[in-house]
Amino acid sequence: MPAAPAPVFRLYLLRHAKAAWTLPGQKDFDRTLDDAGFADAEIVADMAADQGLRPDLVLCSTAVRCRQTADAFRRAMTEGLDIRYVDELYAGGANVYRDIISSQDPTLSALMVVGHNPVIEEILREILGEEAAIEAIPAGYPPGALAAIDFATRPSNGALPLGTLTAWLDPDIHNR
């Protein structure tokens, strides 16, 4: 039996890990990870590194909790991991995420987006199709979880083709 063809493009969708509650006078943007969130980010980053799930580029929301989640991946993979911070990922909707994903350099083979719900979940549901998404995440997209989705064609012009979920790393499952 011939091996499956290599994907043209792989997208990693990472929802930031569990964040602390907003402190009095603190802006939502400045919320940090709580202790469980720091631990979960490290667990998922280590699992991804162990499984060879490595992006060529990481696009990360500028919110503190997202930057802290992405930093765990830098520590687990390499200090040279290319992480770029994108303001629009903080408050942008699904259209913004689609445009950002589809406008990346076509020579990239693997892109990670570190962002927020509900948009991360909405993008995953769109890429997988509703039935496959319900099977993959029946209780929703948990904080700190990472999806790896392979595509036979590249996203372009703000459109994301259907993809196949090839890996799912959920810190809640690991912690049970």
Side-chain angles (χ1 to χ4, degrees):
M1 175 179 235
V8 169
F9 179 70
R10 176 172 280 175
L11 176 64
Y12 298 101
L13 292 176
L14 177 62
R15 182 179 175 196
H16 66 76
K18 294 175 187 161
W21 293 103
T22 305
L23 299 172
Q26 182 183 42
K27 294 179 181 173
D28 175 74
F29 180 88
D30 296 322
R31 289 173 48 214
T32 63
L33 297 180
D34 63 15
D35 289 344
F38 276 110
D40 288 350
E42 295 293 335
I43 287 167
V44 170
D46 288 343
M47 290 181 352
D50 290 347
Q51 294 180 31
L53 302 176
R54 181 184 163 75
D56 299 324
L57 172 64
V58 177
L59 299 179
C60 180
S61 163
T62 51
V64 172
R65 58 195 177 272
C66 289
R67 288 183 289 156
Q68 290 172 328
T69 301
D71 282 344
F73 279 78
R74 184 188 316 261
R75 287 188 294 277
M77 295 183 179
T78 175
E79 288 297 317
L81 184 63
D82 189 359
I83 300 175
R84 299 180 192 167
Y85 302 100
V86 180
D87 288 330
E88 294 82 6
L89 291 174
Y90 172 63
N95 284 339
V96 169
Y97 278 61
R98 277 187 219 98
D99 288 345
I100 289 170
I101 292 165
S102 67
S103 67
Q104 296 309 303
D105 181 340
T107 64
L108 282 178
S109 62
L111 173 69
M112 179 182 285
V113 175
V114 183
H116 306 269
N117 246 14
V119 179
I120 288 287
E121 182 172 334
E122 182 178 337
I123 294 293
L124 182 70
R125 288 181 180 284
E126 177 182 327
I127 290 169
L128 297 183
E130 194 60 31
E131 190 174 309
I134 289 169
E135 185 177 321
I137 55 168
Y141 208 116
L146 174 69
I149 305 105
D150 286 348
F151 296 90
T153 59
R154 296 192 69 79
S156 64
N157 299 321
L160 303 177
L162 286 177
T164 303
L165 183 66
T166 56
W168 175 255
L169 304 179
D170 181 346
D172 289 337
I173 293 170
H174 180 80
N175 290 331
R176 288 184 198 163

